[in-house]
């Protein structure tokens, strides 16, 4: 199994809602990532988990809360988002970062905040 | 912070023609990755280059990293409609493989 899956595919939420994005991989990768991609822009790194521990937080607002329950799963909890948070959220996984291998990306969740 | 500039921003080529996309870094590249993205979808890994002067090929796509490790090119031979999409270069120039920064992207259209 060489794929990263993300659910849901699309999500529409209000500014007062709480929702979660899910990401799963079964490649035995020990590094997982969240990226945010605005329209016509490249993906921007948000968080990196290495061996289930948060290793990088790129100064992301606290309304985004990542969680890595185990080595196969990565969640992104959303609360009190703003309309400018609407974007494509991409999850990726790779071998541990010190091995410099490619990152495998999921298809993304398209988030719309009303 | 590292910046990656891609050129051209967009490209329309006729099927069967060759094309080249460039990626220039503001800092030395420790690892350079090429990805392809269809609109609104995930990224598909194409190739990774690490050593100055390295060149890799897969099917009709060839990528090179120059000797000084600050520029890479992606060359497509005999383009096909299936090559259409957005090409992104990515780099971990900080020396930490996990901090991947992406270039500005090149949008490729292939006409029949």
């Amino acid at each position: 199994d060489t794929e990263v899956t993300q659910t849901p595919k699309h999500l529409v939420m209000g500014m007062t809602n709480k929702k979660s994005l899910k990401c799963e991989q079964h490649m035995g990768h020990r590094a997982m990532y969240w990226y945010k991609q605005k329209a016509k822009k490249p993906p921007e790194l948000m968080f990196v988990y290495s061996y289930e521990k948060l290793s990088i937080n790129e100064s992301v607002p606290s309304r985004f809360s990542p969680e890595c329950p185990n080595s196969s799963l990565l969640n992104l909890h959303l609360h009190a988002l703003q309309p400018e948070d609407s974007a494509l959220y991409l999850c990726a996984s790779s071998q541990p970062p010190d091995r410099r291998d490619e990152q495998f990306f999921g298809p993304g969740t398209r988030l719309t905040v009303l | 912070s590292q910046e990656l500039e891609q050129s051209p921003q967009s490209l329309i080529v006729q099927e069967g023609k060759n094309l080249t996309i460039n990626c220039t870094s503001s800092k030395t590249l420790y690892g350079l990755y090429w990805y392809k993205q269809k609109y609104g979808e995930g990224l598909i890994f194409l190739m990774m280059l690490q050593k100055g002067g390295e060149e890799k090929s897969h099917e009709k796509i060839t990528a090179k990293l120059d000797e000084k490790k600050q520029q890479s090119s992606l060359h497509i031979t005999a383009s096909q409609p299936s090559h259409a999409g957005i090409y992104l270069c990515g780099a971990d120039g900080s020396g930490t493989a996990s901090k991947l920064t992406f270039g500005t992207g090149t949008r490729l259209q292939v006409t029949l």
Side-chain angles (χ1 to χ4, degrees), chain A residues 37 42 58 97 100 102-103 106, chain B residues 33 35 37 42 92 97 99 103:
Chain A
Q37 186 177 25
E58 291 287 270
R100 189 163 272 125
E102 69 268 25
Q103 294 181 19
Chain B
Y33 306 77
Y35 284 87
Q37 184 178 29
D92 56 7
K99 285 180 71 75

Side-chain angles (χ1 to χ4, degrees), chain A residues 3-53:
Chain A
E3 68 171 358
V4 176
T5 58
Q6 290 188 242
T7 55
K9 200 171 174 63
H10 299 277
L11 179 62
V12 179
M13 58 186 290
M15 290 190 284
T16 58
N17 293 158
K18 283 186 181 180
K19 296 285 185 183
S20 296
L21 308 185
K22 294 183 187 300
C23 174
E24 192 167 1
Q25 56 88 15
H26 295 286
M27 294 178 277
H29 290 164
R30 303 306 298 274
M32 295 187 77
Y33 312 78
W34 280 115
Y35 289 85
K36 174 181 177 179
Q37 186 177 25
K38 299 283 280 183
K40 296 187 178 182
K41 296 289 186 183
E44 290 182 347
L45 183 66
M46 299 174 72
F47 302 104
V48 180
Y49 272 83
S50 182
Y51 296 98
E52 294 91 69
K53 286 186 167 50

Side-chain angles (χ1 to χ4, degrees), chain B residues 21-79:
Chain B
I21 298 169
N22 294 302
C23 174
T24 302
S25 172
S26 58
K27 297 183 178 179
T28 298
L29 297 162
Y30 292 94
L32 190 286
Y33 306 77
W34 282 101
Y35 284 87
K36 178 186 172 187
Q37 184 178 29
K38 292 279 194 183
Y39 175 73
E41 298 181 9
L43 279 63
I44 300 167
F45 172 74
L46 298 174
M47 271 169 280
M48 176 177 74
L49 305 164
Q50 292 189 68
K51 300 174 185 173
E54 188 174 9
E55 179 175 323
K56 287 187 178 178
S57 294
H58 178 66
E59 297 180 344
K60 295 185 179 181
I61 300 177
T62 300
K64 299 178 188 180
L65 182 61
D66 78 352
E67 290 289 344
K68 293 183 179 179
K69 295 177 67 177
Q70 284 198 257
Q71 189 169 44
S72 177
S73 61
L74 186 84
H75 184 77
I76 299 177
T77 303
S79 58

Side-chain angles (χ1 to χ4, degrees), chain B residues 79-90:
Chain B
S79 58
Q80 301 167 350
S82 61
H83 288 128
I86 300 166
Y87 288 82
L88 292 158
C89 61

